[in-house]
Amino acid sequence: MDNDENTTGSFSLDNAPGSALADLLVTKDENVRERLFTAARKTALSQFGNKIYIRGLIEFTNFCTNDCFYCGIRCANKNVKRYRLTNEQILACCHHGYALGFRTFVLQGGEDPFFTDEALCTLIRSIKKKYPDCALTLSIGERSRASYRALFDAGCDRYLLRHETANEKHYARLHPPKLSLASRLDCLSSLKETGYQVGTGFMVGSPFQTIDNIVEDLLFIKSFKPQMIGIGPFIPHHDTPFRDHKAGTLELTLRSIAILRLLMPKALIPATTALGTIAPEGREQGILAGANVVMPNLSPPEVRENYSLYDNKIYRDEESAEGLASLKAQMEKIGYNVVVDRGDYQA
Ligand code: SAM
């Protein structure tokens, strides 16, 4: 780690070896910790000013063919009330969101075969036709290269697919044998080659994760160079095999965000819902550690509780689009402004 302070008061992690990143994740030295957060915050401010970009999250299906051990909507969980939104319902969410100032819609769901390429392309075209000034992001898991190409050609701009963990053995402890890190990385390469702005990321504190695993994740992200990075704490769900595991900590998540901001100054990094779930001011703290995006929920209120990935997911007012005014106030309180903007990656 380079200790030279520059005008932003930052220290460079450009050539930092994994051991230096591990030290930053675990250090008990308050001075170093403070310098890390200050440097990350100043780096974000120098890239984005005090702007916070918002993305309207539409959780459009909770059907999923996958059985990830950590996830509340895994197919083996028979206690989930399954739902799919119709195209009309999804367009109504966009309509509502547009009026509130959202210029990015994120369609997230389980891996649901009901949504064929054809069905999704029709949906994408109608959203883009109605809202040509908006960016559209998909987060629907692993698909074929041809499928990613078709969705991109239909007008989708961005894709979020967390790698979950960059360590093969760890990947195998979080997923059934059908799923592999190799296939996940293949998908990420396809997405990038197709031309999407790509987001990847991982859960902090997922079961069996070590500090070295997190370092592998950070270094993977640095080398993959995604435009967006989604990280948040693992939180157990009572109907999964990981029900008795502990949640990831706020502190380790904030440190991971801060390190990523220093490694990837231009990346779009959300302060996630999971971060807001484990601590009352988790999202504000995420922003102060270098995050610059928040993703309020635009899904119809009656389905929100069925998109239950983990226990106690927040449905507080400010988490919903209706509570945007209070989200704005929270951000203003810490010196930031929520803006009406697509918030594209600036190379
Ligand atoms: N099916 C798509 C996929 O797999 O990318 C998108 C939906 S998936 C539920 C979105 C993300 O939720 C996953 O990438 C995972 O990191 C996160 N997630 C799932 N279960 C979680 C849990 N128990 N705690 C925190 N995050 C969780």
Side-chain angles (χ1 to χ4, degrees):
M1 191 191 324
D2 172 359
N3 282 339
D4 286 347
E5 302 265 328
N6 64 25
T7 48
T8 62
S10 66
F11 48 83
S12 166
L13 294 183
D14 283 352
N15 300 311
S19 58
L21 303 184
D23 287 348
L24 284 174
L25 289 170
V26 298
T27 185
K28 293 197 166 36
D29 185 330
E30 271 303 313
N31 195 22
V32 174
R33 176 185 180 275
E34 230 12 77
R35 287 186 57 229
L36 168 67
F37 288 134
T38 304
R41 184 159 64 243
K42 288 187 172 174
T43 300
L45 283 168
S46 71
Q47 294 293 330
F48 309 101
N50 66 350
K51 287 184 190 157
I52 297 296
Y53 298 122
I54 48 171
R55 318 307 197 188
L57 183 63
I58 305 172
E59 297 158 338
F60 71 107
T61 172
N62 70 353
F63 282 87
C64 192
T65 51
N66 280 342
D67 213 12
C68 308
F69 301 148
Y70 45 83
C71 187
I73 61 167
R74 64 200 299 262
C75 61
N77 183 4
K78 302 298 172 217
N79 296 326
V80 180
K81 196 171 160 206
R82 305 282 170 179
Y83 72 90
R84 279 182 193 111
L85 300 185
T86 62
N87 286 7
E88 290 65 37
Q89 282 176 305
I90 296 169
L91 280 161
C93 295
C94 297
H95 177 80
H96 180 52
Y98 192 87
L100 287 166
F102 288 90
R103 294 297 177 268
T104 292
F105 302 119
V106 181
L107 263 52
Q108 193 186 83
E111 295 199 11
D112 180 358
F114 176 88
F115 287 97
T116 59
D117 289 348
E118 207 187 332
L120 284 167
C121 287
T122 305
L123 175 63
I124 292 167
R125 282 194 204 97
S126 39
I127 295 176
K128 291 295 281 196
K129 189 168 173 209
K130 230 168 168 186
Y131 306 100
D133 54 336
C134 293
L136 186 59
T137 306
L138 280 176
S139 173
I140 49 172
E142 298 190 14
R143 300 176 80 92
S144 68
R145 187 176 279 260
S147 170
Y148 289 146
R149 162 57 62 193
L151 304 176
F152 184 76
D153 289 344
C156 183
D157 306 278
R158 307 177 187 151
Y159 204 102
L160 303 177
L161 182 69
R162 289 182 174 183
H163 66 283
E164 310 296 0
T165 170
N167 181 286
E168 219 168 296
K169 288 198 178 114
H170 187 217
Y171 199 96
R173 298 190 82 176
L174 300 181
H175 301 96
K178 196 179 133 201
L179 298 175
S180 71
L181 179 59
S183 147
R184 184 61 52 132
L185 297 182
D186 251 14
C187 287
L188 283 167
S189 302
S190 300
L191 288 163
K192 211 176 196 187
E193 283 156 23
T194 305
Y196 286 94
Q197 294 173 50
V198 181
T200 195
F202 62 98
M203 291 175 288
V204 176
S206 60
F208 317 113
Q209 183 186 59
T210 63
I211 291 295
D212 285 346
N213 290 152
I214 299 182
V215 170
E216 287 176 84
D217 290 323
L218 300 174
L219 293 176
F220 164 71
I221 291 173
K222 184 182 173 202
S223 67
F224 181 68
K225 298 189 180 61
Q227 284 83 11
M228 303 167 283
I229 306 168
I231 64 165
F234 159 76
I235 304 174
H237 185 288
H238 61 278
D239 279 326
T240 65
F242 291 161
R243 63 180 67 82
D244 295 326
H245 285 263
K246 283 204 197 95
T249 66
L250 176 68
E251 180 66 17
L252 200 52
T253 310
L254 294 176
R255 289 186 193 202
S256 303
I257 290 175
I259 293 171
L260 283 165
R261 171 56 67 209
L262 293 172
L263 293 174
M264 310 275 303
K266 292 169 191 257
L268 295 150
I269 306 180
T272 57
T273 306
L275 194 55
T277 296
I278 54 161
E281 298 196 341
R283 275 202 314 212
E284 288 91 320
Q285 294 195 52
I287 300 294
L288 295 172
N292 70 322
V293 173
V294 284
M295 296 172 65
N297 199 326
L298 275 182
S299 313
E302 62 275 16
V303 302
R304 281 183 203 170
E305 67 177 308
N306 299 324
Y307 199 82
S308 168
L309 308 181
Y310 45 80
D311 290 339
N312 306 314
K313 191 170 158 219
I314 46 175
Y315 307 105
R316 285 199 305 259
D317 236 15
E318 67 271 21
E319 184 54 28
S320 64
E322 301 73 45
L324 194 60
S326 84
L327 175 71
K328 284 182 181 162
Q330 284 174 350
M331 293 297 133
E332 277 163 23
K333 208 165 145 197
I334 57 168
Y336 290 80
N337 280 325
V338 168
V339 292
V340 176
D341 194 310
R342 277 172 54 121
D344 280 301
Y345 181 83
Q346 305 296 331

